[in-house]
């Protein structure tokens, strides 16, 4: 791609041209190509707008209605001025919503190349009104804007070995399926704007001052963030907006072997940077943000960028690109190669929340909300920017894997980091909820999108790592997948196969349950039975029988009847052998039979017969339907305990009920399933034996007396009795 674009700050508009040189690396001859026209998703007559269902008017918020009104009036979509071959000859095209077919003048054989030019333009959406992956934010107090621009050029659809062209329409939820390519990008902006973009800046001498160039060079070797543009310099730049009419300046970037490019532009940007080492590669971690982002952004953003690269590289591969950038603006959180857009800021008074809070809907403005979104979006460089999965079809292959690695990175940021996803206990409410779809559902058809595509696959991988494979085996297999499929197009089957191949463990049951099903974990203990080996020695057997019989409960009638006068006591002659016989006495025949048994046994069999082991049969029931391993804790009579994990294969012959046998030297006095909350078990009340009473606190409430119509009337203006003047 050779792309030249111009940002019109007054009209909020992008105009540009591009030359695409396409090489056919497939074994097929192609008679047409497909281009993605993602901006068409914002046309009022676009499929994404028309296919949007009505909201719930019982719970309709201002933001939701404002977005719908803005979408209805906004004149969005690509304006394609021309599509022509490199020699200038017009090309026949057919636009199908967010896709354009280009009919080639001659078939393109395997290995052949074809170059063509596209001239385009579009109006940039207001990212504060329309929730999207691109847009601008206008600051009323100073009249400046931050632009976060993506999907800004017609780009090639992917031609895949497993399906051919991937040209599913862009409706908004399903993200992008793209080919890797090389980019020369020229961005024409007002001369006082600062630009961040995918790739390496090619013309520092033209767009940066000597002081800024010196700071940037120093930052590359620094292990702490250094300002390239200070807060004071950014404030001065934004305040001069109306002093003189600015000229224009072109920022040039180059990126190789990436699947996309994006950029951000504003005169409000503070810019800081630091170096981070990833294997042999020295990476420049950078952040661009307005003064409104401080104090959070100066302290945390670039540090979080660097931390992400170090953490993700530990589990996958060395970060291969020269830069990694976090930009603050209107986009809540969105990823592109080498650059991402992140929204969290403190409040206007510079205060902020210290931890996420779904209840108060404030986590997006919190300290941890910022750190987490930076980790997540920078982490997307690994999945799907490098491990180039098909996001339009399978959201979980990038969002789920990335959320899993995000969880690992968060936990290595600080102790007790308040991660929102990853822990099995945090996915329980979703797992038992209604209106679910399997993880493997197409992106546009997923229900409960965040929990399905982010939370559940991340939790599944955490369970696989902690409770099934173990960390060393999982980490080896996961790294093999990342290394094997970087810069390639993996499918879910490629992930499943690689994890099994590298671990040596058959995980078919796991993929089937977690990724293709909607069951949940709910395993309970139905019964525990102790079996004692009968050595058949007559004296011991009779003593045991006596003790057992004496412990049998007596009925109320039997207890009261014991005091009744008995005829046989008054007339002893009525008694006979059976009244006098001691049924617990060892008879000569009992002794003879036992001696005969011993004579028939081998020495090894005699040893088994004399074993003092105790046998406990635990009846387990799978109520939730999702097959799971069983972490268990056994507590013994001497107060000690033992933790173990029963593998999921115990369910292989019956996925509903199974009995597990424990052979112990002493009595088991307690059993607990999932004592460390590692399986997402939805009901812990049936996980223990003996069963424990559930405990919870309760409060007393005094009902408030609601005002009756007469009292409400007296509260109206016009006098104590409510009469109008």
């Amino acid at each position: 791609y050779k792309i030249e674009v111009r940002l019109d700050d007054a009209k909020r508009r992008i105009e540009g041209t591009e030359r695409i040189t396409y090489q056919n690396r497939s074994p097929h001859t192609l008679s047409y190509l497909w281009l993605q026209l993602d901006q068409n998703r914002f046309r009022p007559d676009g499929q994404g707008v028309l296919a949007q269902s009505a909201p719930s008017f019982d719970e309709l918020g201002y933001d939701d209605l404002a977005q719908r009104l803005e979408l209805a009036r906004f004149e969005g979509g690509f304006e394609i001025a021309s599509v022509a071959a490199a020699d200038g000859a017009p090309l026949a095209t057919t636009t199908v919503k967010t896709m354009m077919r280009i009919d080639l003048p001659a078939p393109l054989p395997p290995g052949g190349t074809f170059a063509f030019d596209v001239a385009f333009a579009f109006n940039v959406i207001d990212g504060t009104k329309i929730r999207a992956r691109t847009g601008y934010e206008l600051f009323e107090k100073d009249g400046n804007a931050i632009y976060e621009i993506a999907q800004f050029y017609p780009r090639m659809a992917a031609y895949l070995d497993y399906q051919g062209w991937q040209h599913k329409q862009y409706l908004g939820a399903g993200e992008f399926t793209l080919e890797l390519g090389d980019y020369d990008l020229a961005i024409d902006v007002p001369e006082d704007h600062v630009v961040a973009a995918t790739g390496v800046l090619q013309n520092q001498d033209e767009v940066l001052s000597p002081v800024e160039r010196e700071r940037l060079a120093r930052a590359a070797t620094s292990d702490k963030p250094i300002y390239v543009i200070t807060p004071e310099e950014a404030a001065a730049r934004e305040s001069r907006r109306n002093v003189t009419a600015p000229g224009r300046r072109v920022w040039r970037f180059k990126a190789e072997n990436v699947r996309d490019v994006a950029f951000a532009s504003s005169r409000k940007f503070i810019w800081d940077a630091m170096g981070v080492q990833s294997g042999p590669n020295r990476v420049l971690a950078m952040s661009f943000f307005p003064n409104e982002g401080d104090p959070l952004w100066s302290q945390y953003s670039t540090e979080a960028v660097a931390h992400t690269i170090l953490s993700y590289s530990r589990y996958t591969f060395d970060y291969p690109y020269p830069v990694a950038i976090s930009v603050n603006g209107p986009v809540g959180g969105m990823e592109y190669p080498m650059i991402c857009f992140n929204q969290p800021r403190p409040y206007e008074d510079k205060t902020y929340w210290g931890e996420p809070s779904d209840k108060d809907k404030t986590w997006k403005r919190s300290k941890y909300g910022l750190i987490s979104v930076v980790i997540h979006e920078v982490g997307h460089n690994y999945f799907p920017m490098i491990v180039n999965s098909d996001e339009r079809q399978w959201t979980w292959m990038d969002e789920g894997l990335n959320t899993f690695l995000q969880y690992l990175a968060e936990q290595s940021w600080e102790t007790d980091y308040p991660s929102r996803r990853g822990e099995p206990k945090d996915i329980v409410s979703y797992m038992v909820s209604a209106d679910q779809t399997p993880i493997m559902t197409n992106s546009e058809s997923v229900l409960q999108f965040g929990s399905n595509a982010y939370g559940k696959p991340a939790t599944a991988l955490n369970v696989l790592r902690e409770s099934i494979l173990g960390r060393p085996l999982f980490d080896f297999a996961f790294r093999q997948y990342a290394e094997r499929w970087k810069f390639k197009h993996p499918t879910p089957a490629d992930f499943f196969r690689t994890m099994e191949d590298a671990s040596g463990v058959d995980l078919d049951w796991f993929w089937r349950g977690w990724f293709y099903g909607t069951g949940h974990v709910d395993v309970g203990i139905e019964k525990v039975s102790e079996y004692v080996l009968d050595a058949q020695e007559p004296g011991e057997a009779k003593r045991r029988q006596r003790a057992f019989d004496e412990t049998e409960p007596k009925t109320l009638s039997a207890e009261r009847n014991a005091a009744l006068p008995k005829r046989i006591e008054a007339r002893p002659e009525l008694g006979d052998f059976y009244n006098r016989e001691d049924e617990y006495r060892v008879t000569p025949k009992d002794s003879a039979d036992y001696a005969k048994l011993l004579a028939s046994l081998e020495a090894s069999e005699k040893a088994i017969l004399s074993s003092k082991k105790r046998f406990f049969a635990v009846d387990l029931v799978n109520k939730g339907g999702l097959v799971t391993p069983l972490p268990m804790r056994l507590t013994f009579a001497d107060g000690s305990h033992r933790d173990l994990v029963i593998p999921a294969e115990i369910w292989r012959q019956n996925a509903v009920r199974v009995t597990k046998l424990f052979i112990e030297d002493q009595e088991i006095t307690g059993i607990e399933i999932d004592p460390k909350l590692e399986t997402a078990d939805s009901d812990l009340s049936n996980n223990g034996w003996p069963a424990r009473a559930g405990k919870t606190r309760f409060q007393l409430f005094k009902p408030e007396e609601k005002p009756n119509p007469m009292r409400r009337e007296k509260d109206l203006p016009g006098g104590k009795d409510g009469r109008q003047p």
Side-chain angles (χ1 to χ4, degrees):
Y1 294 86
K2 186 174 182 180
I3 305 172
E4 297 180 359
V5 293
R6 184 181 191 277
L7 170 62
D8 189 325
D9 191 26
K11 296 181 179 179
R12 317 291 184 206
R13 182 172 171 84
I14 294 287
E15 297 178 349
T17 61
E18 65 179 345
R19 168 162 289 187
I20 301 175
T21 303
Y22 183 82
Q23 182 178 18
N24 179 11
R25 295 189 176 183
S26 82
H28 308 138
T29 296
L30 304 177
S31 60
Y32 52 82
L33 308 177
W34 281 98
L35 277 181
Q36 303 189 57
L37 305 181
D38 305 289
Q39 288 294 325
N40 286 2
R41 175 242 189 281
F42 302 112
R43 292 173 56 93
D45 61 348
Q47 190 174 18
V49 175
L50 295 178
Q52 189 177 38
S53 59
S56 170
F57 285 92
D58 294 333
E59 300 177 351
L60 185 60
Y62 285 94
D63 289 346
D64 192 353
L65 183 56
Q67 176 172 229
R68 292 169 185 270
L69 292 172
E70 181 69 11
L71 276 171
R73 64 136 219 106
F74 178 65
E75 296 181 2
F78 272 121
E79 302 164 20
I80 305 297
S82 63
V83 181
D87 61 5
L91 295 172
T93 65
T94 302
T95 299
V96 185
K97 300 165 186 173
T98 60
M99 295 286 171
M100 173 188 284
R101 192 187 73 235
I102 299 176
D103 297 330
L104 299 176
L108 185 63
T113 60
F114 180 74
F116 61 99
D117 300 321
V118 183
F120 57 91
F122 64 91
N123 297 320
V124 181
I125 67 170
D126 185 338
T128 64
K129 294 180 180 178
I130 299 176
R131 292 186 296 273
R133 309 175 195 280
T134 181
Y136 72 87
E137 176 184 10
L138 179 64
F139 292 76
E140 298 290 348
K141 67 178 183 179
D142 57 41
N144 290 292
I146 292 177
Y147 295 89
E148 293 180 325
I149 305 298
Q151 299 91 53
F152 65 93
Y153 61 100
R155 51 193 182 166
M156 293 302 306
Y159 189 75
L160 305 169
D161 59 350
Y162 55 85
Q163 75 169 59
W165 291 107
Q166 166 54 294
H167 47 35
K168 291 183 184 296
Q169 293 294 325
Y170 178 38
L171 302 182
E175 294 185 43
F176 310 106
T177 306
L178 299 165
E179 295 283 22
L180 296 161
D182 298 333
Y183 291 78
D184 284 310
L185 178 61
I187 307 167
D188 184 339
V189 298
E191 66 179 352
D192 55 354
H193 270 220
V194 176
V195 177
T198 299
V200 176
L201 180 61
Q202 300 295 297
N203 60 334
Q204 287 190 18
D205 293 349
E206 298 175 17
V207 297
L208 300 182
S209 70
V211 172
E212 291 166 349
R213 294 199 300 272
E214 184 276 330
R215 292 170 180 170
L216 186 59
R218 191 154 39 91
T221 59
S222 174
D223 61 356
K224 293 183 179 180
I226 291 177
Y227 284 121
V228 180
I229 296 176
T230 68
E232 295 76 18
E233 292 165 344
R237 191 190 302 255
E238 71 181 28
S239 69
R240 291 196 299 267
R241 183 183 74 91
N242 294 319
V243 175
T244 59
R248 308 290 299 181
R249 183 173 289 169
V250 177
W251 294 60
R252 300 184 184 277
F253 297 86
K254 189 171 185 178
E256 297 179 345
N257 204 26
V258 295
R259 65 180 230 153
D260 197 7
V261 290
F263 70 91
S265 182
S266 179
R267 59 179 60 86
K268 292 178 67 68
F269 280 149
I270 301 166
W271 177 2
D272 70 8
M274 65 180 286
V276 59
Q277 197 71 30
S278 180
N281 306 321
R282 189 67 177 175
V283 182
L284 196 57
M286 301 187 286
S287 295
F288 295 75
F289 52 95
N291 273 286
E292 287 81 357
D294 268 340
L296 282 175
W297 275 74
S298 289
Q299 186 170 3
Y300 294 115
S301 178
T302 298
E303 289 280 5
V305 174
H307 177 71
T308 304
I309 291 172
L310 293 173
S311 180
Y312 277 57
S313 297
R314 187 179 308 127
Y315 298 106
T316 56
F317 42 73
D318 296 331
Y319 184 82
Y321 295 134
V323 300
I325 303 169
S326 170
V327 182
N328 180 231
V331 178
M334 187 58 199
E335 70 279 1
Y336 303 97
M338 303 188 223
I339 189 170
C340 59
F341 305 151
N342 304 303
Q343 188 180 53
R345 285 186 196 137
Y347 295 115
E348 291 184 9
D349 63 3
K350 301 300 183 179
T351 64
Y352 54 85
W353 288 88
E355 62 182 37
S357 173
D358 282 336
K359 179 179 179 182
D360 297 321
K361 304 297 182 185
T362 54
W363 71 270
K364 288 185 178 180
R365 297 180 182 270
S366 74
K367 162 188 169 181
Y368 293 108
L370 171 60
I371 296 170
S372 290
V373 75
V374 172
I375 291 173
H376 184 89
E377 305 306 343
V378 173
H380 271 305
N381 278 284
Y382 296 80
F383 304 93
M385 302 304 156
I386 297 169
V387 181
N388 192 8
S389 58
D390 184 352
E391 293 181 89
R392 189 61 54 84
Q393 179 63 32
W394 299 294
T395 299
W396 72 268
M397 287 197 73
D398 69 296
E399 298 296 357
L401 270 60
N402 185 40
T403 302
F404 165 69
L405 289 172
Q406 174 191 342
Y407 170 77
L408 298 183
E410 289 171 346
Q411 294 307 303
S412 63
W413 178 276
E414 67 180 54
T415 302
D416 295 329
Y417 188 100
S419 297
R420 298 175 62 235
R421 295 178 172 126
E423 283 281 11
K425 64 183 178 61
D426 295 330
I427 199 68
V428 169
S429 60
Y430 168 72
M431 298 289 282
V432 300
S433 66
D435 299 324
Q436 286 191 52
T437 53
I439 289 176
M440 287 292 292
T441 302
N442 173 268
S443 298
E444 295 294 348
S445 300
V446 167
L447 302 178
Q448 302 189 72
F449 197 87
S451 295
N452 177 287
Y454 294 68
K456 186 177 178 182
T459 304
L461 295 180
N462 197 21
V463 170
L464 186 60
R465 182 174 188 251
E466 300 285 17
S467 303
I468 299 172
L469 295 181
R471 291 188 176 187
L473 202 56
F474 177 94
D475 291 351
F476 176 82
F478 193 83
R479 176 179 284 273
Q480 289 299 308
Y481 169 71
E483 289 279 5
R484 187 176 295 180
W485 288 97
K486 62 183 180 182
F487 302 115
K488 298 175 183 175
H489 285 295
T491 67
D494 297 317
F495 176 67
F496 300 155
R497 277 194 295 264
T498 301
M499 292 300 292
E500 295 191 19
D501 167 64
S503 70
V505 178
D506 181 357
L507 297 169
D508 290 358
W509 62 270
F510 180 79
W511 312 126
R512 178 185 181 186
W514 277 92
F515 287 79
Y516 288 89
T518 57
H520 61 276
V521 175
D522 181 9
V523 177
I525 300 173
E526 285 196 321
K527 185 176 66 172
V528 177
S529 304
E530 180 180 4
Y531 293 86
V532 178
L533 178 62
D534 188 351
Q536 302 182 52
E537 193 280 317
E540 174 62 25
K542 294 298 177 76
R543 285 191 296 273
R544 189 166 56 248
Q545 186 62 46
R546 181 192 295 274
F548 179 80
D549 290 346
E550 289 176 350
T551 60
E552 279 288 289
K554 295 185 180 300
T555 67
L556 177 62
S557 295
E559 188 177 82
R560 291 172 174 174
N561 291 340
L564 294 176
K566 305 299 189 294
R567 186 174 184 82
I568 197 171
E569 294 173 354
R571 304 280 297 272
E573 66 273 16
L574 295 177
D576 64 2
F577 169 82
Y578 294 103
N579 296 103
R580 296 186 295 271
E581 173 66 12
D582 180 3
E583 62 179 305
Y584 303 111
R585 180 178 66 88
V586 177
T587 67
K589 185 176 187 310
D590 294 334
S591 299
D593 289 343
Y594 181 62
K596 184 178 179 181
L597 170 65
L598 293 179
S600 69
L601 298 178
E602 302 288 343
S604 59
E605 294 172 328
K606 290 180 181 178
I608 292 175
L609 195 62
S610 62
S611 171
K612 301 300 182 183
K613 294 289 186 181
R614 310 182 74 149
F615 301 84
F616 297 86
V618 182
D619 293 342
L620 302 163
V621 59
N622 181 358
K623 296 182 178 182
L626 182 58
V627 171
T628 180
L630 299 172
M632 301 184 80
R633 172 168 293 172
L634 306 182
T635 302
F636 300 99
D638 65 357
S640 64
H641 72 266
R642 182 172 83 251
D643 290 346
L644 71 161
V645 178
I646 307 302
E649 282 77 7
I650 195 171
W651 304 100
R652 64 192 182 278
Q653 293 180 344
N654 188 329
V656 178
R657 278 184 168 77
V658 69
T659 300
K660 174 61 184 173
L661 177 65
F662 294 99
I663 303 175
E664 305 295 338
D665 292 321
Q666 60 174 312
E667 180 185 4
I668 295 177
T669 58
I671 301 175
E672 185 177 4
I673 298 175
D674 199 11
K676 298 179 181 179
L677 306 181
E678 54 189 290
T679 68
D681 196 306
S682 63
D683 183 5
L684 302 179
S685 66
N686 57 7
N687 283 22
W689 174 86
R692 304 185 185 98
K695 294 182 179 180
T696 187
R697 296 180 179 272
F698 69 94
Q699 296 178 338
L700 295 175
F701 295 93
K702 185 175 182 179
E704 296 182 4
E705 185 178 357
K706 295 182 179 180
N708 59 47
M710 293 178 66
R711 287 176 177 166
R712 285 199 297 267
E713 184 73 16
K714 290 180 181 294
D715 288 336
L716 293 173
K720 188 174 181 180
D721 60 359
R723 290 178 293 179
Q724 297 296 320

